[in-house]
Amino acid sequence: MPSIVSGYSYDIFISYRHKDNKVDGWVTSFVSNLKKELEAAFKEDISIYFDQNPNDGILETHHVDETVSAKIKCLVFIPILSQTYCDPKSFAWAQEFKPFIAFARADQSGLNVKLLNGNTACRVLPVRLHELDQPDKQLVETELGGILRAIDFIYRSAGVVRTLQQNEENPKANLNQTFYRDQMSKVVRGIKELISGMQSPVVASQTQAKVSQEEIPVTARRKLSIVAAIVMTLGILGYALFYFSGFGNRFFQEPDKSIAVLPFENINKDSTQDYFSNGIAEDILNHLVKIADLKVKSRTSTLQYKGTTKTVSEIGDELNVGNIVEGSVRRVGDKVRIVVQLIDTETDTHLWSETYDRDFKDVLALQSEIAIEIAKALQARLTNSERKDIEKVPTENITAYDYFLKATEFRRRGSLKRNDLEHAIQLTNQAIQNDKGFSRAYAYKASLWFDMSSYGLPENVWYDSVIQNADKAIRIDPLSPDGYLIKSRVFRFLGKLQQADAEVRSAYKVAPNNPEVLELYGYLLLRERKEEGADLVLKSTENQFSTKDPEYYSNLSNAYFFTHNSEMLVQLLTQSKNLNPDAVDPYTALAGVYNRQGQYDKAIQELQMALKINPDLALAVDQLGWSYYKNKDYENAAKYWSQYPQIESKFSDSLQTVPFRHRLAMTYAKMGRKKEGDKLVQEDLNIQKGLLEKKRGMGTWGNFGAIFYDLAVDNAYLGNDAQAVQCLDSAFHYQFYYFDGYDNDPIFEELKGREDFKKVVKKKSDWYEFLQAAFSSALNRTKASKDLKGLLEK
């Protein structure tokens, strides 16, 4: 079947190394799928030349030049670029790739075709199966005379880079975030643009222009020749400037789809209305996060820029994003004016802007509209399900929405103190009273109740409140991840591991692009011994935070913790502490690092700073006890662990406890006060028994596995070695991953010779060795680690 354009043998020529088709027939499958897609895209039948000869070359009796030259006369040439294609000695390279380029350059249409939309594209449309080595890439670019622009069919996961398959078992694990059908669609679109460009009247007019040359006087022809020469010279200079300045590359590159939404300005200048302008910006951001084709920085990253005088370019560099959304809100009675601008951070140019004057009741639908307009301006791929999810408003009741925004802002301003949480719950209740179908309000209320659990509330109170509200949120909106996420946290805390994992999977199914979902799903994969989970955890951090955020460093410190890189841990946590001196977590985490290094004085200094920030922080009190105990200062260790009565007296639930008794008993034994220690251990045994029998509730810290670890300490103290080991095994089963415990815990010194104890310790060490390998590989792969190392070396 000839080409649809007169004078050509085929429309498309597929060039490949036959060895790349032998293993799984990928190229044959690709051509078959391409034909189907072309049938749906073109009215005419499109002809494809595809040599299925298993030999890499042609027969000795064939005339190479004439055989190939006849077939090479095609509109579009598709080389399947593999690790073996770029070989000057191969038939595909020497007799297909290079001859087509020579043919196209001499052809009336040229190698580069002017498309109908005014852009230009090369008739060589590469499909790439593997990342090319740099020399091979340079070889291709030398022949093409420009940058290699290929459509990639590459699947990348932890430790694996292979060809993308039509039917992937786990497509969402592809770190390249590409799908076979999408890439095939890009190939067809590229072919259609090229063929349409070659079919346009522009080519025909070139021939027609030759007709009446003889009718033009000689002198006029000479003048026209001079003008043509000048135009051609200017064109060549312009072409050189276009490409060598880098502008040409930027012109033909796909738009940068990384974006941050800055806090909107409150034009009212009334601080009581800040919650509203902040809420508008955050909801637009939440809509953008739903679009998988965009890379969206979290609100945490952008809060620092509220009221900033920094330029858009400076903010773009700091956040490592190509685009910024900024805006302002003015609210007067029932009327709202919202001004939104999308700005390219590299050029500081406006890609899109709009002013909206709406009734207050229309604000919710407007946020969806703005998010979709931003996606369009960035040429982001928006699926039907994503559009449907974005267009869905959380509530039709604007009063309910107003209360909800106040609740989220109030909690955000506070430090999660009990009074702040209680006030936020009251505001959320007001939102629910105005709209009993407000899914986000129920999910938010559930998270508030879980935070309240740390203040010693009875378990049946906070647990019932969390589950009841989370379930309502899911029933109302099963496509929102919020309810699933909070349930997964509660179930894991209480030792309901299968239910916890099921909730994470449900959240990932409905919101795979949500950073919080990504992190929890990453850890789920790690627990299943799948290394790619580490990549997702790091990706979550990258998507949420910039290098200006303290959370960027504290989150990354978790990854470096598993790699046993103490030097990097200290740098990361110190940076986080410097950026936010009022956050206690970096202090307690640094203390843990110093304790493991035997630098007890430094650990004590960090923990005393933590207690200055929050005098009621029982975790810091516990760590201080450990620091002094390991430094053999038993008097001071006892001083801190003996504070448990004062701490527990502040709890609402008189049955809530902190796990200090058995540690204090261990210290008393060292001080010659064993009778007092024995009494404390018996008391602690009764507490743990009450927890297992559900006569007491959990709520301070740790998780369900911590009960068994405390029982192991009690039994080891009493000399019940076999029971102690069994309890340790149960603690590990319930995912109580106590890095400083098990073989490092001094109470278990007498157990180290037991074979059953060694087996439990091996489980722990195997787990941490796996995490070390997973995060080491992930950190080596991610660009974040390179940027981070460079930043810390300054």
PDB file of all heavy atoms in Angstrom, residues 564-588:
ATOM      1  N   HIS A 564      22.537   4.585  58.812  1.00  0.00           N
ATOM      2  CA  HIS A 564      23.560   4.657  59.873  1.00  0.00           C
ATOM      3  C   HIS A 564      24.575   5.772  59.615  1.00  0.00           C
ATOM      4  O   HIS A 564      25.732   5.663  60.030  1.00  0.00           O
ATOM      5  CB  HIS A 564      24.295   3.317  60.025  1.00  0.00           C
ATOM      6  CG  HIS A 564      23.387   2.144  60.229  1.00  0.00           C
ATOM      7  ND1 HIS A 564      22.561   2.038  61.324  1.00  0.00           N
ATOM      8  CD2 HIS A 564      23.172   1.031  59.481  1.00  0.00           C
ATOM      9  CE1 HIS A 564      21.865   0.910  61.248  1.00  0.00           C
ATOM     10  NE2 HIS A 564      22.213   0.288  60.127  1.00  0.00           N
ATOM     11  N   ASN A 565      24.141   6.812  58.931  1.00  0.00           N
ATOM     12  CA  ASN A 565      25.028   7.934  58.647  1.00  0.00           C
ATOM     13  C   ASN A 565      24.835   8.991  59.734  1.00  0.00           C
ATOM     14  O   ASN A 565      24.079   9.948  59.582  1.00  0.00           O
ATOM     15  CB  ASN A 565      24.716   8.504  57.256  1.00  0.00           C
ATOM     16  CG  ASN A 565      25.746   9.512  56.793  1.00  0.00           C
ATOM     17  OD1 ASN A 565      26.433  10.135  57.597  1.00  0.00           O
ATOM     18  ND2 ASN A 565      25.858   9.673  55.485  1.00  0.00           N
ATOM     19  N   SER A 566      25.534   8.819  60.851  1.00  0.00           N
ATOM     20  CA  SER A 566      25.349   9.702  62.011  1.00  0.00           C
ATOM     21  C   SER A 566      25.765  11.132  61.711  1.00  0.00           C
ATOM     22  O   SER A 566      25.133  12.093  62.179  1.00  0.00           O
ATOM     23  CB  SER A 566      26.143   9.176  63.204  1.00  0.00           C
ATOM     24  OG  SER A 566      25.669   7.911  63.591  1.00  0.00           O
ATOM     25  N   GLU A 567      26.831  11.296  60.925  1.00  0.00           N
ATOM     26  CA  GLU A 567      27.307  12.643  60.601  1.00  0.00           C
ATOM     27  C   GLU A 567      26.236  13.420  59.844  1.00  0.00           C
ATOM     28  O   GLU A 567      25.959  14.586  60.150  1.00  0.00           O
ATOM     29  CB  GLU A 567      28.582  12.548  59.779  1.00  0.00           C
ATOM     30  CG  GLU A 567      29.186  13.907  59.441  1.00  0.00           C
ATOM     31  CD  GLU A 567      30.452  13.787  58.596  1.00  0.00           C
ATOM     32  OE1 GLU A 567      30.903  12.653  58.364  1.00  0.00           O
ATOM     33  OE2 GLU A 567      30.958  14.833  58.158  1.00  0.00           O
ATOM     34  N   MET A 568      25.631  12.770  58.852  1.00  0.00           N
ATOM     35  CA  MET A 568      24.577  13.432  58.085  1.00  0.00           C
ATOM     36  C   MET A 568      23.342  13.676  58.959  1.00  0.00           C
ATOM     37  O   MET A 568      22.681  14.718  58.839  1.00  0.00           O
ATOM     38  CB  MET A 568      24.196  12.582  56.873  1.00  0.00           C
ATOM     39  CG  MET A 568      23.160  13.224  55.965  1.00  0.00           C
ATOM     40  SD  MET A 568      23.738  14.725  55.150  1.00  0.00           S
ATOM     41  CE  MET A 568      24.560  14.025  53.733  1.00  0.00           C
ATOM     42  N   LEU A 569      23.044  12.743  59.833  1.00  0.00           N
ATOM     43  CA  LEU A 569      21.900  12.910  60.733  1.00  0.00           C
ATOM     44  C   LEU A 569      22.052  14.169  61.583  1.00  0.00           C
ATOM     45  O   LEU A 569      21.108  14.952  61.735  1.00  0.00           O
ATOM     46  CB  LEU A 569      21.790  11.691  61.655  1.00  0.00           C
ATOM     47  CG  LEU A 569      20.842  10.572  61.242  1.00  0.00           C
ATOM     48  CD1 LEU A 569      20.963   9.402  62.212  1.00  0.00           C
ATOM     49  CD2 LEU A 569      19.415  11.063  61.201  1.00  0.00           C
ATOM     50  N   VAL A 570      23.227  14.358  62.143  1.00  0.00           N
ATOM     51  CA  VAL A 570      23.461  15.535  62.987  1.00  0.00           C
ATOM     52  C   VAL A 570      23.302  16.808  62.169  1.00  0.00           C
ATOM     53  O   VAL A 570      22.676  17.780  62.611  1.00  0.00           O
ATOM     54  CB  VAL A 570      24.864  15.472  63.628  1.00  0.00           C
ATOM     55  CG1 VAL A 570      25.192  16.798  64.314  1.00  0.00           C
ATOM     56  CG2 VAL A 570      24.935  14.324  64.634  1.00  0.00           C
ATOM     57  N   GLN A 571      23.827  16.820  60.931  1.00  0.00           N
ATOM     58  CA  GLN A 571      23.709  18.005  60.074  1.00  0.00           C
ATOM     59  C   GLN A 571      22.256  18.302  59.740  1.00  0.00           C
ATOM     60  O   GLN A 571      21.808  19.457  59.796  1.00  0.00           O
ATOM     61  CB  GLN A 571      24.504  17.796  58.780  1.00  0.00           C
ATOM     62  CG  GLN A 571      26.007  17.793  58.960  1.00  0.00           C
ATOM     63  CD  GLN A 571      26.728  17.696  57.628  1.00  0.00           C
ATOM     64  OE1 GLN A 571      26.704  18.636  56.830  1.00  0.00           O
ATOM     65  NE2 GLN A 571      27.352  16.573  57.365  1.00  0.00           N
ATOM     66  N   LEU A 572      21.512  17.249  59.388  1.00  0.00           N
ATOM     67  CA  LEU A 572      20.108  17.431  59.005  1.00  0.00           C
ATOM     68  C   LEU A 572      19.272  17.943  60.167  1.00  0.00           C
ATOM     69  O   LEU A 572      18.498  18.903  60.025  1.00  0.00           O
ATOM     70  CB  LEU A 572      19.532  16.114  58.492  1.00  0.00           C
ATOM     71  CG  LEU A 572      20.026  15.620  57.135  1.00  0.00           C
ATOM     72  CD1 LEU A 572      19.590  14.173  56.914  1.00  0.00           C
ATOM     73  CD2 LEU A 572      19.499  16.497  56.017  1.00  0.00           C
ATOM     74  N   LEU A 573      19.403  17.314  61.311  1.00  0.00           N
ATOM     75  CA  LEU A 573      18.587  17.687  62.464  1.00  0.00           C
ATOM     76  C   LEU A 573      18.980  19.060  62.994  1.00  0.00           C
ATOM     77  O   LEU A 573      18.118  19.812  63.471  1.00  0.00           O
ATOM     78  CB  LEU A 573      18.709  16.619  63.559  1.00  0.00           C
ATOM     79  CG  LEU A 573      18.082  15.266  63.192  1.00  0.00           C
ATOM     80  CD1 LEU A 573      18.481  14.189  64.189  1.00  0.00           C
ATOM     81  CD2 LEU A 573      16.552  15.379  63.127  1.00  0.00           C
ATOM     82  N   THR A 574      20.253  19.391  62.918  1.00  0.00           N
ATOM     83  CA  THR A 574      20.690  20.725  63.339  1.00  0.00           C
ATOM     84  C   THR A 574      20.102  21.789  62.425  1.00  0.00           C
ATOM     85  O   THR A 574      19.649  22.847  62.875  1.00  0.00           O
ATOM     86  CB  THR A 574      22.227  20.808  63.334  1.00  0.00           C
ATOM     87  OG1 THR A 574      22.759  19.820  64.218  1.00  0.00           O
ATOM     88  CG2 THR A 574      22.700  22.189  63.781  1.00  0.00           C
ATOM     89  N   GLN A 575      20.095  21.498  61.115  1.00  0.00           N
ATOM     90  CA  GLN A 575      19.504  22.442  60.156  1.00  0.00           C
ATOM     91  C   GLN A 575      18.012  22.622  60.421  1.00  0.00           C
ATOM     92  O   GLN A 575      17.490  23.741  60.391  1.00  0.00           O
ATOM     93  CB  GLN A 575      19.736  21.940  58.722  1.00  0.00           C
ATOM     94  CG  GLN A 575      19.214  22.851  57.634  1.00  0.00           C
ATOM     95  CD  GLN A 575      20.116  24.044  57.382  1.00  0.00           C
ATOM     96  OE1 GLN A 575      20.830  24.481  58.269  1.00  0.00           O
ATOM     97  NE2 GLN A 575      20.069  24.579  56.182  1.00  0.00           N
ATOM     98  N   SER A 576      17.317  21.531  60.690  1.00  0.00           N
ATOM     99  CA  SER A 576      15.883  21.600  60.993  1.00  0.00           C
ATOM    100  C   SER A 576      15.649  22.423  62.254  1.00  0.00           C
ATOM    101  O   SER A 576      14.748  23.262  62.309  1.00  0.00           O
ATOM    102  CB  SER A 576      15.321  20.184  61.166  1.00  0.00           C
ATOM    103  OG  SER A 576      13.956  20.233  61.480  1.00  0.00           O
ATOM    104  N   LYS A 577      16.481  22.190  63.260  1.00  0.00           N
ATOM    105  CA  LYS A 577      16.362  22.917  64.537  1.00  0.00           C
ATOM    106  C   LYS A 577      16.627  24.405  64.340  1.00  0.00           C
ATOM    107  O   LYS A 577      15.934  25.251  64.917  1.00  0.00           O
ATOM    108  CB  LYS A 577      17.359  22.320  65.524  1.00  0.00           C
ATOM    109  CG  LYS A 577      17.278  22.876  66.927  1.00  0.00           C
ATOM    110  CD  LYS A 577      18.228  22.149  67.859  1.00  0.00           C
ATOM    111  CE  LYS A 577      19.661  22.426  67.502  1.00  0.00           C
ATOM    112  NZ  LYS A 577      20.591  21.891  68.523  1.00  0.00           N
ATOM    113  N   ASN A 578      17.614  24.741  63.508  1.00  0.00           N
ATOM    114  CA  ASN A 578      17.943  26.146  63.268  1.00  0.00           C
ATOM    115  C   ASN A 578      16.810  26.874  62.546  1.00  0.00           C
ATOM    116  O   ASN A 578      16.562  28.050  62.787  1.00  0.00           O
ATOM    117  CB  ASN A 578      19.231  26.251  62.448  1.00  0.00           C
ATOM    118  CG  ASN A 578      20.452  25.818  63.241  1.00  0.00           C
ATOM    119  OD1 ASN A 578      20.418  25.768  64.467  1.00  0.00           O
ATOM    120  ND2 ASN A 578      21.524  25.483  62.545  1.00  0.00           N
ATOM    121  N   LEU A 579      16.145  26.152  61.626  1.00  0.00           N
ATOM    122  CA  LEU A 579      15.056  26.771  60.872  1.00  0.00           C
ATOM    123  C   LEU A 579      13.789  26.931  61.706  1.00  0.00           C
ATOM    124  O   LEU A 579      12.969  27.813  61.441  1.00  0.00           O
ATOM    125  CB  LEU A 579      14.752  25.940  59.618  1.00  0.00           C
ATOM    126  CG  LEU A 579      15.808  26.011  58.507  1.00  0.00           C
ATOM    127  CD1 LEU A 579      15.524  24.962  57.436  1.00  0.00           C
ATOM    128  CD2 LEU A 579      15.837  27.400  57.884  1.00  0.00           C
ATOM    129  N   ASN A 580      13.607  26.064  62.688  1.00  0.00           N
ATOM    130  CA  ASN A 580      12.429  26.160  63.557  1.00  0.00           C
ATOM    131  C   ASN A 580      12.836  25.799  64.987  1.00  0.00           C
ATOM    132  O   ASN A 580      12.658  24.661  65.423  1.00  0.00           O
ATOM    133  CB  ASN A 580      11.319  25.236  63.061  1.00  0.00           C
ATOM    134  CG  ASN A 580      10.024  25.430  63.850  1.00  0.00           C
ATOM    135  OD1 ASN A 580       9.933  26.304  64.720  1.00  0.00           O
ATOM    136  ND2 ASN A 580       9.025  24.609  63.574  1.00  0.00           N
ATOM    137  N   PRO A 581      13.379  26.765  65.743  1.00  0.00           N
ATOM    138  CA  PRO A 581      13.887  26.484  67.095  1.00  0.00           C
ATOM    139  C   PRO A 581      12.808  26.077  68.088  1.00  0.00           C
ATOM    140  O   PRO A 581      13.126  25.565  69.165  1.00  0.00           O
ATOM    141  CB  PRO A 581      14.532  27.820  67.513  1.00  0.00           C
ATOM    142  CG  PRO A 581      14.702  28.592  66.252  1.00  0.00           C
ATOM    143  CD  PRO A 581      13.605  28.151  65.342  1.00  0.00           C
ATOM    144  N   ASP A 582      11.537  26.290  67.752  1.00  0.00           N
ATOM    145  CA  ASP A 582      10.448  25.975  68.688  1.00  0.00           C
ATOM    146  C   ASP A 582       9.899  24.562  68.521  1.00  0.00           C
ATOM    147  O   ASP A 582       9.006  24.159  69.265  1.00  0.00           O
ATOM    148  CB  ASP A 582       9.305  26.980  68.517  1.00  0.00           C
ATOM    149  CG  ASP A 582       9.727  28.388  68.918  1.00  0.00           C
ATOM    150  OD1 ASP A 582      10.580  28.517  69.821  1.00  0.00           O
ATOM    151  OD2 ASP A 582       9.219  29.359  68.326  1.00  0.00           O
ATOM    152  N   ALA A 583      10.390  23.812  67.543  1.00  0.00           N
ATOM    153  CA  ALA A 583       9.935  22.429  67.345  1.00  0.00           C
ATOM    154  C   ALA A 583      10.777  21.500  68.218  1.00  0.00           C
ATOM    155  O   ALA A 583      12.005  21.561  68.194  1.00  0.00           O
ATOM    156  CB  ALA A 583      10.059  22.038  65.882  1.00  0.00           C
ATOM    157  N   VAL A 584      10.128  20.629  68.978  1.00  0.00           N
ATOM    158  CA  VAL A 584      10.871  19.790  69.932  1.00  0.00           C
ATOM    159  C   VAL A 584      11.456  18.532  69.283  1.00  0.00           C
ATOM    160  O   VAL A 584      12.460  17.990  69.766  1.00  0.00           O
ATOM    161  CB  VAL A 584       9.973  19.376  71.124  1.00  0.00           C
ATOM    162  CG1 VAL A 584       9.567  20.588  71.928  1.00  0.00           C
ATOM    163  CG2 VAL A 584       8.749  18.604  70.651  1.00  0.00           C
ATOM    164  N   ASP A 585      10.854  18.055  68.194  1.00  0.00           N
ATOM    165  CA  ASP A 585      11.293  16.780  67.612  1.00  0.00           C
ATOM    166  C   ASP A 585      12.775  16.746  67.241  1.00  0.00           C
ATOM    167  O   ASP A 585      13.456  15.748  67.514  1.00  0.00           O
ATOM    168  CB  ASP A 585      10.437  16.429  66.392  1.00  0.00           C
ATOM    169  CG  ASP A 585       9.042  15.989  66.786  1.00  0.00           C
ATOM    170  OD1 ASP A 585       8.822  15.763  67.999  1.00  0.00           O
ATOM    171  OD2 ASP A 585       8.173  15.865  65.908  1.00  0.00           O
ATOM    172  N   PRO A 586      13.328  17.793  66.602  1.00  0.00           N
ATOM    173  CA  PRO A 586      14.757  17.731  66.275  1.00  0.00           C
ATOM    174  C   PRO A 586      15.652  17.587  67.504  1.00  0.00           C
ATOM    175  O   PRO A 586      16.698  16.941  67.448  1.00  0.00           O
ATOM    176  CB  PRO A 586      15.016  19.060  65.555  1.00  0.00           C
ATOM    177  CG  PRO A 586      13.691  19.460  65.008  1.00  0.00           C
ATOM    178  CD  PRO A 586      12.703  18.993  66.015  1.00  0.00           C
ATOM    179  N   TYR A 587      15.244  18.182  68.624  1.00  0.00           N
ATOM    180  CA  TYR A 587      16.049  18.080  69.848  1.00  0.00           C
ATOM    181  C   TYR A 587      16.063  16.638  70.366  1.00  0.00           C
ATOM    182  O   TYR A 587      17.125  16.103  70.705  1.00  0.00           O
ATOM    183  CB  TYR A 587      15.498  19.013  70.927  1.00  0.00           C
ATOM    184  CG  TYR A 587      15.599  20.482  70.601  1.00  0.00           C
ATOM    185  CD1 TYR A 587      14.535  21.159  70.012  1.00  0.00           C
ATOM    186  CD2 TYR A 587      16.752  21.205  70.868  1.00  0.00           C
ATOM    187  CE1 TYR A 587      14.616  22.511  69.712  1.00  0.00           C
ATOM    188  CE2 TYR A 587      16.851  22.564  70.580  1.00  0.00           C
ATOM    189  CZ  TYR A 587      15.774  23.216  69.993  1.00  0.00           C
ATOM    190  OH  TYR A 587      15.858  24.545  69.681  1.00  0.00           O
ATOM    191  N   THR A 588      14.884  16.029  70.428  1.00  0.00           N
ATOM    192  CA  THR A 588      14.830  14.658  70.945  1.00  0.00           C
ATOM    193  C   THR A 588      15.509  13.680  69.993  1.00  0.00           C
ATOM    194  O   THR A 588      16.149  12.721  70.423  1.00  0.00           O
ATOM    195  CB  THR A 588      13.378  14.240  71.194  1.00  0.00           C
ATOM    196  OG1 THR A 588      12.617  14.366  69.978  1.00  0.00           O
ATOM    197  CG2 THR A 588      12.723  15.104  72.268  1.00  0.00           C
TER     198      THR A 588
END
